[in-house]
Amino acid sequence: MPTAVIPSVTELRSELGDFSSIICFRALVVGTEEVLGEKAAAIALIGAGRQRGRQVAEQLGIAEKAMPLDELANVLQSALGKDGTRLCLVEKIVEAGESILVYCRETICSAGEPEGSPRKLTFTLGAVQGVMESVTGKRFRGKQIESVLRGSDFDVIEFEVIG
C-alpha cells in the first residue's frame, strides 16, 4: 500500500506553521461567493479543489495507480484527515451502479454551518474529485447528494464517469 503521508516540504511559515484557521477559509469561501456570485464561486472553488486533489495524488505517488476503493479510502483518510491536511475525514468509497460514492464527514465546507444550511461542498468535492480522477484516469462529474447540514450522517459525493 502506498504511503498515505504527503511528503513534507520546507515549512512555509517558521512561527505559525503551515495550518490556517477554518474560520479564515470560510471567510474566503463566503467572500468569494459575495464577489462572484454563488454559481461562479462554486465553479472556481471546485476547480481549485480539483487542482489540489491532483497535487495530492502526485505527492502520495498514487496518480494513475488503480487501487481498490477501500484501499483508496484508507489512503485519503490518512492524507486528508487528522494525520494529514485536515480537509475532511473520508469514511468510505463504494461503487453504486455506474457511480462511485464518497462518504465524508467533518468537511471543511460544512464546518460551522447551521443545521439546515443550503451550503454545498465545493473545495472538498473538487479535491476528492481531483484525487479520484488522477488515480482512476477517468473524468468525473461530481455532485453532493447528502449533507450533514440537512440530516445525513455524512456529506456524500456521487461521481459519474463522463469520459
Side-chain angles (χ1 to χ4, degrees):
M1 179 166 106
T3 179
V5 176
I6 296 174
S8 30
V9 294
T10 304
E11 193 169 84
L12 300 175
R13 299 187 298 180
S14 62
E15 291 185 48
L16 293 177
D18 292 345
F19 288 94
S20 175
S21 163
I22 200 165
I23 295 164
C24 291
F25 179 83
R26 285 178 37 80
L28 172 69
V29 170
V30 171
T32 302
E33 289 173 348
E34 289 175 5
V35 170
L36 298 178
E38 189 176 322
K39 287 183 180 184
I43 291 167
L45 292 166
I46 291 168
R50 284 181 66 220
Q51 183 176 17
R52 176 62 185 142
R54 289 190 295 268
Q55 290 172 343
V56 167
E58 288 292 329
Q59 290 173 320
L60 293 172
I62 60 173
E64 298 179 24
K65 294 189 178 177
M67 64 178 64
L69 295 178
D70 59 337
E71 184 178 331
L72 180 56
N74 289 334
V75 169
L76 292 182
Q77 176 69 281
S78 182
L80 301 180
K82 189 171 79 169
D83 297 326
T85 65
R86 298 178 181 245
L87 177 71
C88 65
L89 296 170
V90 176
E91 288 296 319
K92 63 183 175 179
I93 303 173
V94 297
E95 285 189 67
E98 297 292 314
S99 300
I100 296 174
L101 303 179
V102 180
Y103 290 76
C104 305
R105 56 188 184 85
E106 293 200 29
T107 62
I108 196 167
C109 296
S110 295
E113 285 292 316
E115 188 68 31
S117 167
R119 180 152 319 274
K120 296 177 182 168
L121 300 182
T122 53
F123 186 81
T124 304
L125 182 150
V128 173
Q129 182 172 342
V131 171
M132 297 291 294
E133 290 177 343
S134 290
V135 170
T136 65
K138 297 176 183 174
R139 182 95 159 89
F140 292 109
R141 176 180 300 112
K143 66 180 177 182
Q144 183 177 3
I145 60 170
E146 292 183 38
S147 174
V148 297
L149 301 174
R150 295 177 289 283
S152 180
D153 290 335
F154 300 96
D155 284 320
V156 181
I157 305 166
E158 177 182 47
F159 293 110
E160 297 175 324
V161 177
I162 58 172

